[in-house]
Amino acid sequence: MLILVLAEAALEPIPREIWDHPIIRSFSRRRGKHPRLIVLDRSHHHFAMKDLPNSEKRGRPDIVHFCLLEALGSPLNKEGLLRTYVHTIDDNAISIDPETRLPRNFNRFIGLIEDLFKHGHVPPKGKSLLSLETRSLPRLIEALKPTYTVIFERSGEPKTFEDVALKLAMENRPAVLVGGFPHGEFSEETIRLADEVVCVDSEVLDAWVIVSRIIYEYERAIGLPKKRLEQLINRGS
Amino acid sequence: MLILVLAEAALEPIPREIWDHPIIRSFSRRRGKHPRLIVLDRSHHHFAMKDLPNSEKRGRPDIVHFCLLEALGSPLNKEGLLRTYVHTIDDNAISIDPETRLPRNFNRFIGLIEDLFKHGHVPPKGKSLLSLETRSLPRLIEALKPTYTVIFERSGEPKTFEDVALKLAMENRPAVLVGGFPHGEFSEETIRLADEVVCVDSEVLDAWVIVSRIIYEYERAIGLPKKRLEQLINRGS
């Protein structure tokens, strides 16, 4: 089983410091929602958020959306062998049930996340598919108890996805941490959680490219692609 | 070099048959655009489009968006070794310059595509990054002159991504066709274009999962991950 954590992810409600900004006030009025229940998004709130601390790492919910679609749609997840979490830059942890069918449409995804901010879990009734609690990344990792943790980061040791995955596949509860933000680096506190920090390409890769590749290489390392094709062939015969 | 074609993709302007539908009329008024310049999207136009022929294959621009982000963000593309095309269900062919930095935000992507429908290329001035022309899939393939064409399709021969990529890497101008639609199958006309039709998993995979994996396996087959890491190491030393 592989644990995937999108860490320091650029997904948060509009922070209190900018609730009074004219752009936010008018956006809030138009949406008919209080700013604390609206997802911060650079494509709408750019000028309001530019003086926030760490501004360049924030307000990119699309990154979380793409990464989750890649993760939840993977054969590894369909086999029940992937656990997916989002740790947000404002220290919330979101657990995602592997059977969640996430909205493909971005605006509906945002609606879902805003419901999550409001209720702490979605759907509001019945079994929760997404649930949110206030939790720092160290506390989340402590609770997940990985036996080995790899962080993908520009400054890490050069290593192919294949070599990373071969190591992960030897572990009982391996975890990978992928940055859910567009620019900048992991905080030092995050880096301290890693058993290994790796760099997998000569250029910065989008988070969803890293997510799809490490999941796929982990599948390869545990022999999943061949196993699933054999199931298909046996079903047909 | 690998040629990627998203084929029969669910990306088109609102078709003439439903311009008069009340949902479309009100959507068009709200957007201040003629329906022929608006992207058909099931998440807005579901009830208006449900009687269209092939309705279940249409109105999913998000699929094209995700697939293009995966393709254009890949190391293969950054090396200039990937050519990406979209063939749409209404027989337009879109060529995408490898250096295009596509909007990450879905609504901005839709705006870009609507500009493309209007002008035939974007940006309107200077070097075109996306350009569109009326062209059936057979005519597009004829122009691209692939030496070997693989189609991913549920009914194909079971084969791993790895085996598919090893074959592609032996070719001079290999092409892969991935369905850019949510449900259903390729038309028979499309299937006839293939040298090989393959099925890579026991379940239907999202188009973006197929795109990211075949690109990655092709990179592996030509030794790109190691080569790029060596560049990184040499730069550092």
Side-chain angles (χ1 to χ4, degrees), chain B residues 182-217:
Chain B
H183 303 289
E185 296 175 349
F186 277 120
S187 68
E188 281 181 35
E189 189 189 32
T190 298
I191 292 291
R192 275 196 293 271
L193 299 169
D195 293 297
E196 197 178 353
V197 181
V198 299
C199 169
V200 284
D201 195 68
S202 53
E203 293 178 65
V204 176
L205 298 181
D206 294 314
W208 51 87
V209 174
I210 296 181
V211 165
S212 60
R213 289 174 179 221
I214 192 58
I215 290 174
Y216 176 58
E217 274 289 8

PDB file of all heavy atoms in Angstrom, chain B residues 182-217:
ATOM      1  N   PRO B 182     -15.589  10.654 -22.895  1.00  0.00           N
ATOM      2  CA  PRO B 182     -15.781   9.987 -21.604  1.00  0.00           C
ATOM      3  C   PRO B 182     -16.292   8.555 -21.682  1.00  0.00           C
ATOM      4  O   PRO B 182     -15.931   7.725 -20.859  1.00  0.00           O
ATOM      5  CB  PRO B 182     -16.812  10.871 -20.907  1.00  0.00           C
ATOM      6  CG  PRO B 182     -17.571  11.532 -22.007  1.00  0.00           C
ATOM      7  CD  PRO B 182     -16.614  11.677 -23.144  1.00  0.00           C
ATOM      8  N   HIS B 183     -17.163   8.262 -22.631  1.00  0.00           N
ATOM      9  CA  HIS B 183     -17.792   6.947 -22.695  1.00  0.00           C
ATOM     10  C   HIS B 183     -17.846   6.514 -24.149  1.00  0.00           C
ATOM     11  O   HIS B 183     -17.671   7.322 -25.048  1.00  0.00           O
ATOM     12  CB  HIS B 183     -19.231   6.991 -22.160  1.00  0.00           C
ATOM     13  CG  HIS B 183     -19.321   7.510 -20.768  1.00  0.00           C
ATOM     14  ND1 HIS B 183     -18.872   6.802 -19.682  1.00  0.00           N
ATOM     15  CD2 HIS B 183     -19.789   8.691 -20.288  1.00  0.00           C
ATOM     16  CE1 HIS B 183     -19.069   7.520 -18.592  1.00  0.00           C
ATOM     17  NE2 HIS B 183     -19.614   8.671 -18.929  1.00  0.00           N
ATOM     18  N   GLY B 184     -18.137   5.243 -24.358  1.00  0.00           N
ATOM     19  CA  GLY B 184     -18.327   4.766 -25.719  1.00  0.00           C
ATOM     20  C   GLY B 184     -17.015   4.364 -26.350  1.00  0.00           C
ATOM     21  O   GLY B 184     -15.981   4.298 -25.683  1.00  0.00           O
ATOM     22  N   GLU B 185     -17.076   4.086 -27.636  1.00  0.00           N
ATOM     23  CA  GLU B 185     -15.924   3.536 -28.333  1.00  0.00           C
ATOM     24  C   GLU B 185     -15.543   4.396 -29.519  1.00  0.00           C
ATOM     25  O   GLU B 185     -16.323   5.227 -29.971  1.00  0.00           O
ATOM     26  CB  GLU B 185     -16.270   2.124 -28.831  1.00  0.00           C
ATOM     27  CG  GLU B 185     -16.537   1.163 -27.701  1.00  0.00           C
ATOM     28  CD  GLU B 185     -16.986  -0.201 -28.198  1.00  0.00           C
ATOM     29  OE1 GLU B 185     -17.288  -0.327 -29.408  1.00  0.00           O
ATOM     30  OE2 GLU B 185     -17.027  -1.127 -27.375  1.00  0.00           O
ATOM     31  N   PHE B 186     -14.344   4.147 -30.041  1.00  0.00           N
ATOM     32  CA  PHE B 186     -13.942   4.801 -31.278  1.00  0.00           C
ATOM     33  C   PHE B 186     -14.851   4.347 -32.417  1.00  0.00           C
ATOM     34  O   PHE B 186     -15.346   3.215 -32.420  1.00  0.00           O
ATOM     35  CB  PHE B 186     -12.505   4.415 -31.631  1.00  0.00           C
ATOM     36  CG  PHE B 186     -11.459   5.235 -30.926  1.00  0.00           C
ATOM     37  CD1 PHE B 186     -10.525   4.637 -30.100  1.00  0.00           C
ATOM     38  CD2 PHE B 186     -11.394   6.610 -31.108  1.00  0.00           C
ATOM     39  CE1 PHE B 186      -9.542   5.385 -29.466  1.00  0.00           C
ATOM     40  CE2 PHE B 186     -10.418   7.368 -30.482  1.00  0.00           C
ATOM     41  CZ  PHE B 186      -9.495   6.756 -29.662  1.00  0.00           C
ATOM     42  N   SER B 187     -15.030   5.215 -33.406  1.00  0.00           N
ATOM     43  CA  SER B 187     -15.780   4.819 -34.599  1.00  0.00           C
ATOM     44  C   SER B 187     -14.958   3.801 -35.385  1.00  0.00           C
ATOM     45  O   SER B 187     -13.738   3.715 -35.227  1.00  0.00           O
ATOM     46  CB  SER B 187     -16.051   6.046 -35.468  1.00  0.00           C
ATOM     47  OG  SER B 187     -14.821   6.508 -36.006  1.00  0.00           O
ATOM     48  N   GLU B 188     -15.634   3.052 -36.229  1.00  0.00           N
ATOM     49  CA  GLU B 188     -14.919   2.058 -37.049  1.00  0.00           C
ATOM     50  C   GLU B 188     -13.914   2.723 -37.977  1.00  0.00           C
ATOM     51  O   GLU B 188     -12.838   2.198 -38.239  1.00  0.00           O
ATOM     52  CB  GLU B 188     -15.918   1.246 -37.875  1.00  0.00           C
ATOM     53  CG  GLU B 188     -16.600   0.162 -37.051  1.00  0.00           C
ATOM     54  CD  GLU B 188     -17.566  -0.654 -37.892  1.00  0.00           C
ATOM     55  OE1 GLU B 188     -17.273  -0.883 -39.088  1.00  0.00           O
ATOM     56  OE2 GLU B 188     -18.618  -1.029 -37.352  1.00  0.00           O
ATOM     57  N   GLU B 189     -14.276   3.909 -38.470  1.00  0.00           N
ATOM     58  CA  GLU B 189     -13.379   4.651 -39.360  1.00  0.00           C
ATOM     59  C   GLU B 189     -12.043   4.939 -38.661  1.00  0.00           C
ATOM     60  O   GLU B 189     -10.973   4.854 -39.264  1.00  0.00           O
ATOM     61  CB  GLU B 189     -14.056   5.969 -39.773  1.00  0.00           C
ATOM     62  CG  GLU B 189     -13.326   6.729 -40.857  1.00  0.00           C
ATOM     63  CD  GLU B 189     -13.918   8.128 -41.087  1.00  0.00           C
ATOM     64  OE1 GLU B 189     -14.422   8.732 -40.118  1.00  0.00           O
ATOM     65  OE2 GLU B 189     -13.866   8.595 -42.237  1.00  0.00           O
ATOM     66  N   THR B 190     -12.119   5.271 -37.372  1.00  0.00           N
ATOM     67  CA  THR B 190     -10.897   5.545 -36.610  1.00  0.00           C
ATOM     68  C   THR B 190     -10.084   4.270 -36.418  1.00  0.00           C
ATOM     69  O   THR B 190      -8.862   4.251 -36.625  1.00  0.00           O
ATOM     70  CB  THR B 190     -11.254   6.166 -35.239  1.00  0.00           C
ATOM     71  OG1 THR B 190     -11.911   7.407 -35.465  1.00  0.00           O
ATOM     72  CG2 THR B 190     -10.012   6.388 -34.387  1.00  0.00           C
ATOM     73  N   ILE B 191     -10.770   3.202 -36.022  1.00  0.00           N
ATOM     74  CA  ILE B 191     -10.075   1.938 -35.754  1.00  0.00           C
ATOM     75  C   ILE B 191      -9.289   1.479 -36.988  1.00  0.00           C
ATOM     76  O   ILE B 191      -8.190   0.934 -36.871  1.00  0.00           O
ATOM     77  CB  ILE B 191     -11.092   0.851 -35.305  1.00  0.00           C
ATOM     78  CG1 ILE B 191     -11.677   1.203 -33.924  1.00  0.00           C
ATOM     79  CG2 ILE B 191     -10.459  -0.541 -35.294  1.00  0.00           C
ATOM     80  CD1 ILE B 191     -10.700   1.113 -32.769  1.00  0.00           C
ATOM     81  N   ARG B 192      -9.834   1.760 -38.177  1.00  0.00           N
ATOM     82  CA  ARG B 192      -9.150   1.342 -39.413  1.00  0.00           C
ATOM     83  C   ARG B 192      -7.801   2.036 -39.613  1.00  0.00           C
ATOM     84  O   ARG B 192      -6.987   1.596 -40.424  1.00  0.00           O
ATOM     85  CB  ARG B 192     -10.048   1.609 -40.635  1.00  0.00           C
ATOM     86  CG  ARG B 192     -11.033   0.470 -40.908  1.00  0.00           C
ATOM     87  CD  ARG B 192     -11.631   0.558 -42.317  1.00  0.00           C
ATOM     88  NE  ARG B 192     -12.499   1.720 -42.476  1.00  0.00           N
ATOM     89  CZ  ARG B 192     -13.816   1.719 -42.210  1.00  0.00           C
ATOM     90  NH1 ARG B 192     -14.412   0.627 -41.781  1.00  0.00           N
ATOM     91  NH2 ARG B 192     -14.532   2.808 -42.374  1.00  0.00           N
ATOM     92  N   LEU B 193      -7.562   3.125 -38.876  1.00  0.00           N
ATOM     93  CA  LEU B 193      -6.293   3.847 -39.028  1.00  0.00           C
ATOM     94  C   LEU B 193      -5.142   3.185 -38.273  1.00  0.00           C
ATOM     95  O   LEU B 193      -3.981   3.549 -38.438  1.00  0.00           O
ATOM     96  CB  LEU B 193      -6.444   5.286 -38.513  1.00  0.00           C
ATOM     97  CG  LEU B 193      -7.485   6.152 -39.230  1.00  0.00           C
ATOM     98  CD1 LEU B 193      -7.711   7.440 -38.454  1.00  0.00           C
ATOM     99  CD2 LEU B 193      -7.027   6.451 -40.652  1.00  0.00           C
ATOM    100  N   ALA B 194      -5.485   2.213 -37.407  1.00  0.00           N
ATOM    101  CA  ALA B 194      -4.477   1.659 -36.497  1.00  0.00           C
ATOM    102  C   ALA B 194      -3.686   0.526 -37.120  1.00  0.00           C
ATOM    103  O   ALA B 194      -4.231  -0.304 -37.842  1.00  0.00           O
ATOM    104  CB  ALA B 194      -5.156   1.149 -35.234  1.00  0.00           C
ATOM    105  N   ASP B 195      -2.380   0.494 -36.825  1.00  0.00           N
ATOM    106  CA  ASP B 195      -1.603  -0.709 -37.083  1.00  0.00           C
ATOM    107  C   ASP B 195      -1.832  -1.710 -35.956  1.00  0.00           C
ATOM    108  O   ASP B 195      -1.689  -2.905 -36.135  1.00  0.00           O
ATOM    109  CB  ASP B 195      -0.111  -0.350 -37.170  1.00  0.00           C
ATOM    110  CG  ASP B 195       0.175   0.513 -38.383  1.00  0.00           C
ATOM    111  OD1 ASP B 195      -0.034   0.024 -39.504  1.00  0.00           O
ATOM    112  OD2 ASP B 195       0.564   1.687 -38.210  1.00  0.00           O
ATOM    113  N   GLU B 196      -2.168  -1.175 -34.782  1.00  0.00           N
ATOM    114  CA  GLU B 196      -2.348  -2.037 -33.627  1.00  0.00           C
ATOM    115  C   GLU B 196      -3.367  -1.392 -32.691  1.00  0.00           C
ATOM    116  O   GLU B 196      -3.314  -0.187 -32.456  1.00  0.00           O
ATOM    117  CB  GLU B 196      -0.990  -2.176 -32.910  1.00  0.00           C
ATOM    118  CG  GLU B 196      -0.915  -3.334 -31.962  1.00  0.00           C
ATOM    119  CD  GLU B 196       0.468  -3.446 -31.308  1.00  0.00           C
ATOM    120  OE1 GLU B 196       1.397  -2.712 -31.693  1.00  0.00           O
ATOM    121  OE2 GLU B 196       0.582  -4.267 -30.395  1.00  0.00           O
ATOM    122  N   VAL B 197      -4.301  -2.200 -32.177  1.00  0.00           N
ATOM    123  CA  VAL B 197      -5.268  -1.699 -31.195  1.00  0.00           C
ATOM    124  C   VAL B 197      -4.989  -2.431 -29.888  1.00  0.00           C
ATOM    125  O   VAL B 197      -4.989  -3.659 -29.850  1.00  0.00           O
ATOM    126  CB  VAL B 197      -6.724  -1.952 -31.647  1.00  0.00           C
ATOM    127  CG1 VAL B 197      -7.714  -1.393 -30.624  1.00  0.00           C
ATOM    128  CG2 VAL B 197      -6.969  -1.334 -33.017  1.00  0.00           C
ATOM    129  N   VAL B 198      -4.708  -1.663 -28.824  1.00  0.00           N
ATOM    130  CA  VAL B 198      -4.306  -2.299 -27.571  1.00  0.00           C
ATOM    131  C   VAL B 198      -5.213  -1.899 -26.414  1.00  0.00           C
ATOM    132  O   VAL B 198      -5.819  -0.824 -26.405  1.00  0.00           O
ATOM    133  CB  VAL B 198      -2.841  -1.942 -27.193  1.00  0.00           C
ATOM    134  CG1 VAL B 198      -1.876  -2.417 -28.261  1.00  0.00           C
ATOM    135  CG2 VAL B 198      -2.689  -0.452 -26.936  1.00  0.00           C
ATOM    136  N   CYS B 199      -5.279  -2.800 -25.429  1.00  0.00           N
ATOM    137  CA  CYS B 199      -6.016  -2.555 -24.194  1.00  0.00           C
ATOM    138  C   CYS B 199      -5.014  -2.713 -23.054  1.00  0.00           C
ATOM    139  O   CYS B 199      -4.367  -3.754 -22.933  1.00  0.00           O
ATOM    140  CB  CYS B 199      -7.143  -3.572 -24.064  1.00  0.00           C
ATOM    141  SG  CYS B 199      -7.916  -3.547 -22.443  1.00  0.00           S
ATOM    142  N   VAL B 200      -4.848  -1.670 -22.229  1.00  0.00           N
ATOM    143  CA  VAL B 200      -3.748  -1.656 -21.269  1.00  0.00           C
ATOM    144  C   VAL B 200      -4.155  -1.915 -19.826  1.00  0.00           C
ATOM    145  O   VAL B 200      -3.304  -1.958 -18.938  1.00  0.00           O
ATOM    146  CB  VAL B 200      -2.996  -0.304 -21.331  1.00  0.00           C
ATOM    147  CG1 VAL B 200      -2.116  -0.243 -22.564  1.00  0.00           C
ATOM    148  CG2 VAL B 200      -3.982   0.853 -21.295  1.00  0.00           C
ATOM    149  N   ASP B 201      -5.442  -2.082 -19.580  1.00  0.00           N
ATOM    150  CA  ASP B 201      -5.861  -2.334 -18.199  1.00  0.00           C
ATOM    151  C   ASP B 201      -7.184  -3.088 -18.202  1.00  0.00           C
ATOM    152  O   ASP B 201      -7.915  -3.089 -19.189  1.00  0.00           O
ATOM    153  CB  ASP B 201      -6.000  -1.018 -17.423  1.00  0.00           C
ATOM    154  CG  ASP B 201      -6.082  -1.246 -15.918  1.00  0.00           C
ATOM    155  OD1 ASP B 201      -5.066  -1.672 -15.334  1.00  0.00           O
ATOM    156  OD2 ASP B 201      -7.156  -1.024 -15.328  1.00  0.00           O
ATOM    157  N   SER B 202      -7.473  -3.710 -17.056  1.00  0.00           N
ATOM    158  CA  SER B 202      -8.708  -4.484 -16.955  1.00  0.00           C
ATOM    159  C   SER B 202      -9.934  -3.597 -16.754  1.00  0.00           C
ATOM    160  O   SER B 202     -11.063  -4.055 -16.848  1.00  0.00           O
ATOM    161  CB  SER B 202      -8.594  -5.483 -15.801  1.00  0.00           C
ATOM    162  OG  SER B 202      -8.217  -4.810 -14.617  1.00  0.00           O
ATOM    163  N   GLU B 203      -9.720  -2.308 -16.445  1.00  0.00           N
ATOM    164  CA  GLU B 203     -10.837  -1.377 -16.335  1.00  0.00           C
ATOM    165  C   GLU B 203     -10.615  -0.209 -17.294  1.00  0.00           C
ATOM    166  O   GLU B 203      -9.500   0.015 -17.752  1.00  0.00           O
ATOM    167  CB  GLU B 203     -10.944  -0.832 -14.898  1.00  0.00           C
ATOM    168  CG  GLU B 203     -11.346  -1.896 -13.885  1.00  0.00           C
ATOM    169  CD  GLU B 203     -11.392  -1.352 -12.454  1.00  0.00           C
ATOM    170  OE1 GLU B 203     -12.231  -0.492 -12.169  1.00  0.00           O
ATOM    171  OE2 GLU B 203     -10.573  -1.799 -11.636  1.00  0.00           O
ATOM    172  N   VAL B 204     -11.687   0.532 -17.574  1.00  0.00           N
ATOM    173  CA  VAL B 204     -11.545   1.727 -18.406  1.00  0.00           C
ATOM    174  C   VAL B 204     -10.738   2.763 -17.626  1.00  0.00           C
ATOM    175  O   VAL B 204     -11.041   3.045 -16.467  1.00  0.00           O
ATOM    176  CB  VAL B 204     -12.930   2.303 -18.775  1.00  0.00           C
ATOM    177  CG1 VAL B 204     -12.776   3.602 -19.553  1.00  0.00           C
ATOM    178  CG2 VAL B 204     -13.720   1.297 -19.599  1.00  0.00           C
ATOM    179  N   LEU B 205      -9.698   3.301 -18.234  1.00  0.00           N
ATOM    180  CA  LEU B 205      -8.900   4.343 -17.581  1.00  0.00           C
ATOM    181  C   LEU B 205      -9.268   5.708 -18.158  1.00  0.00           C
ATOM    182  O   LEU B 205      -9.597   5.833 -19.336  1.00  0.00           O
ATOM    183  CB  LEU B 205      -7.404   4.085 -17.803  1.00  0.00           C
ATOM    184  CG  LEU B 205      -6.839   2.780 -17.241  1.00  0.00           C
ATOM    185  CD1 LEU B 205      -5.341   2.684 -17.526  1.00  0.00           C
ATOM    186  CD2 LEU B 205      -7.091   2.676 -15.739  1.00  0.00           C
ATOM    187  N   ASP B 206      -9.185   6.741 -17.310  1.00  0.00           N
ATOM    188  CA  ASP B 206      -9.388   8.099 -17.803  1.00  0.00           C
ATOM    189  C   ASP B 206      -8.343   8.412 -18.871  1.00  0.00           C
ATOM    190  O   ASP B 206      -7.199   7.953 -18.793  1.00  0.00           O
ATOM    191  CB  ASP B 206      -9.245   9.103 -16.651  1.00  0.00           C
ATOM    192  CG  ASP B 206     -10.342   8.944 -15.600  1.00  0.00           C
ATOM    193  OD1 ASP B 206     -11.518   8.826 -15.985  1.00  0.00           O
ATOM    194  OD2 ASP B 206     -10.014   8.939 -14.400  1.00  0.00           O
ATOM    195  N   ALA B 207      -8.737   9.230 -19.845  1.00  0.00           N
ATOM    196  CA  ALA B 207      -7.831   9.554 -20.957  1.00  0.00           C
ATOM    197  C   ALA B 207      -6.508  10.125 -20.453  1.00  0.00           C
ATOM    198  O   ALA B 207      -5.437   9.795 -20.972  1.00  0.00           O
ATOM    199  CB  ALA B 207      -8.513  10.545 -21.905  1.00  0.00           C
ATOM    200  N   TRP B 208      -6.565  10.989 -19.411  1.00  0.00           N
ATOM    201  CA  TRP B 208      -5.322  11.618 -18.944  1.00  0.00           C
ATOM    202  C   TRP B 208      -4.389  10.608 -18.285  1.00  0.00           C
ATOM    203  O   TRP B 208      -3.179  10.812 -18.288  1.00  0.00           O
ATOM    204  CB  TRP B 208      -5.606  12.802 -18.023  1.00  0.00           C
ATOM    205  CG  TRP B 208      -6.543  12.521 -16.885  1.00  0.00           C
ATOM    206  CD1 TRP B 208      -6.214  12.029 -15.656  1.00  0.00           C
ATOM    207  CD2 TRP B 208      -7.959  12.720 -16.866  1.00  0.00           C
ATOM    208  NE1 TRP B 208      -7.340  11.906 -14.877  1.00  0.00           N
ATOM    209  CE2 TRP B 208      -8.427  12.325 -15.576  1.00  0.00           C
ATOM    210  CE3 TRP B 208      -8.895  13.195 -17.800  1.00  0.00           C
ATOM    211  CZ2 TRP B 208      -9.773  12.387 -15.211  1.00  0.00           C
ATOM    212  CZ3 TRP B 208     -10.226  13.254 -17.428  1.00  0.00           C
ATOM    213  CH2 TRP B 208     -10.656  12.854 -16.158  1.00  0.00           C
ATOM    214  N   VAL B 209      -4.944   9.539 -17.725  1.00  0.00           N
ATOM    215  CA  VAL B 209      -4.098   8.486 -17.147  1.00  0.00           C
ATOM    216  C   VAL B 209      -3.355   7.765 -18.277  1.00  0.00           C
ATOM    217  O   VAL B 209      -2.150   7.511 -18.191  1.00  0.00           O
ATOM    218  CB  VAL B 209      -4.945   7.506 -16.300  1.00  0.00           C
ATOM    219  CG1 VAL B 209      -4.103   6.326 -15.826  1.00  0.00           C
ATOM    220  CG2 VAL B 209      -5.564   8.229 -15.102  1.00  0.00           C
ATOM    221  N   ILE B 210      -4.055   7.486 -19.364  1.00  0.00           N
ATOM    222  CA  ILE B 210      -3.408   6.839 -20.512  1.00  0.00           C
ATOM    223  C   ILE B 210      -2.343   7.753 -21.107  1.00  0.00           C
ATOM    224  O   ILE B 210      -1.213   7.330 -21.371  1.00  0.00           O
ATOM    225  CB  ILE B 210      -4.463   6.460 -21.581  1.00  0.00           C
ATOM    226  CG1 ILE B 210      -5.418   5.419 -20.993  1.00  0.00           C
ATOM    227  CG2 ILE B 210      -3.785   5.939 -22.851  1.00  0.00           C
ATOM    228  CD1 ILE B 210      -6.479   4.942 -21.951  1.00  0.00           C
ATOM    229  N   VAL B 211      -2.677   9.018 -21.285  1.00  0.00           N
ATOM    230  CA  VAL B 211      -1.725   9.971 -21.873  1.00  0.00           C
ATOM    231  C   VAL B 211      -0.453  10.044 -21.036  1.00  0.00           C
ATOM    232  O   VAL B 211       0.663   9.935 -21.552  1.00  0.00           O
ATOM    233  CB  VAL B 211      -2.374  11.370 -22.009  1.00  0.00           C
ATOM    234  CG1 VAL B 211      -1.324  12.451 -22.264  1.00  0.00           C
ATOM    235  CG2 VAL B 211      -3.400  11.361 -23.139  1.00  0.00           C
ATOM    236  N   SER B 212      -0.599  10.205 -19.717  1.00  0.00           N
ATOM    237  CA  SER B 212       0.602  10.377 -18.900  1.00  0.00           C
ATOM    238  C   SER B 212       1.448   9.114 -18.913  1.00  0.00           C
ATOM    239  O   SER B 212       2.676   9.175 -18.954  1.00  0.00           O
ATOM    240  CB  SER B 212       0.241  10.790 -17.470  1.00  0.00           C
ATOM    241  OG  SER B 212      -0.559   9.814 -16.850  1.00  0.00           O
ATOM    242  N   ARG B 213       0.808   7.946 -18.917  1.00  0.00           N
ATOM    243  CA  ARG B 213       1.571   6.701 -18.845  1.00  0.00           C
ATOM    244  C   ARG B 213       2.270   6.350 -20.152  1.00  0.00           C
ATOM    245  O   ARG B 213       3.412   5.899 -20.138  1.00  0.00           O
ATOM    246  CB  ARG B 213       0.651   5.559 -18.402  1.00  0.00           C
ATOM    247  CG  ARG B 213       0.284   5.718 -16.949  1.00  0.00           C
ATOM    248  CD  ARG B 213      -0.726   4.723 -16.441  1.00  0.00           C
ATOM    249  NE  ARG B 213      -0.943   5.001 -15.028  1.00  0.00           N
ATOM    250  CZ  ARG B 213      -1.060   4.081 -14.085  1.00  0.00           C
ATOM    251  NH1 ARG B 213      -1.016   2.805 -14.398  1.00  0.00           N
ATOM    252  NH2 ARG B 213      -1.228   4.430 -12.826  1.00  0.00           N
ATOM    253  N   ILE B 214       1.607   6.562 -21.288  1.00  0.00           N
ATOM    254  CA  ILE B 214       2.278   6.179 -22.532  1.00  0.00           C
ATOM    255  C   ILE B 214       3.438   7.137 -22.826  1.00  0.00           C
ATOM    256  O   ILE B 214       4.497   6.723 -23.318  1.00  0.00           O
ATOM    257  CB  ILE B 214       1.295   6.039 -23.723  1.00  0.00           C
ATOM    258  CG1 ILE B 214       2.007   5.356 -24.896  1.00  0.00           C
ATOM    259  CG2 ILE B 214       0.689   7.361 -24.155  1.00  0.00           C
ATOM    260  CD1 ILE B 214       2.577   3.982 -24.591  1.00  0.00           C
ATOM    261  N   ILE B 215       3.256   8.410 -22.483  1.00  0.00           N
ATOM    262  CA  ILE B 215       4.370   9.352 -22.673  1.00  0.00           C
ATOM    263  C   ILE B 215       5.545   8.943 -21.791  1.00  0.00           C
ATOM    264  O   ILE B 215       6.698   8.892 -22.232  1.00  0.00           O
ATOM    265  CB  ILE B 215       3.927  10.797 -22.356  1.00  0.00           C
ATOM    266  CG1 ILE B 215       2.964  11.303 -23.433  1.00  0.00           C
ATOM    267  CG2 ILE B 215       5.145  11.728 -22.251  1.00  0.00           C
ATOM    268  CD1 ILE B 215       2.356  12.666 -23.139  1.00  0.00           C
ATOM    269  N   TYR B 216       5.251   8.619 -20.543  1.00  0.00           N
ATOM    270  CA  TYR B 216       6.321   8.247 -19.617  1.00  0.00           C
ATOM    271  C   TYR B 216       7.028   6.968 -20.069  1.00  0.00           C
ATOM    272  O   TYR B 216       8.261   6.886 -20.065  1.00  0.00           O
ATOM    273  CB  TYR B 216       5.760   8.088 -18.202  1.00  0.00           C
ATOM    274  CG  TYR B 216       6.791   7.617 -17.216  1.00  0.00           C
ATOM    275  CD1 TYR B 216       7.960   8.343 -17.011  1.00  0.00           C
ATOM    276  CD2 TYR B 216       6.614   6.438 -16.497  1.00  0.00           C
ATOM    277  CE1 TYR B 216       8.921   7.907 -16.117  1.00  0.00           C
ATOM    278  CE2 TYR B 216       7.567   5.996 -15.600  1.00  0.00           C
ATOM    279  CZ  TYR B 216       8.722   6.735 -15.414  1.00  0.00           C
ATOM    280  OH  TYR B 216       9.675   6.297 -14.537  1.00  0.00           O
ATOM    281  N   GLU B 217       6.262   5.965 -20.497  1.00  0.00           N
ATOM    282  CA  GLU B 217       6.896   4.719 -20.938  1.00  0.00           C
ATOM    283  C   GLU B 217       7.718   4.939 -22.208  1.00  0.00           C
ATOM    284  O   GLU B 217       8.748   4.312 -22.400  1.00  0.00           O
ATOM    285  CB  GLU B 217       5.848   3.625 -21.166  1.00  0.00           C
ATOM    286  CG  GLU B 217       5.477   2.852 -19.911  1.00  0.00           C
ATOM    287  CD  GLU B 217       6.581   1.919 -19.389  1.00  0.00           C
ATOM    288  OE1 GLU B 217       7.718   1.945 -19.893  1.00  0.00           O
ATOM    289  OE2 GLU B 217       6.288   1.167 -18.448  1.00  0.00           O
TER     290      GLU B 217
END
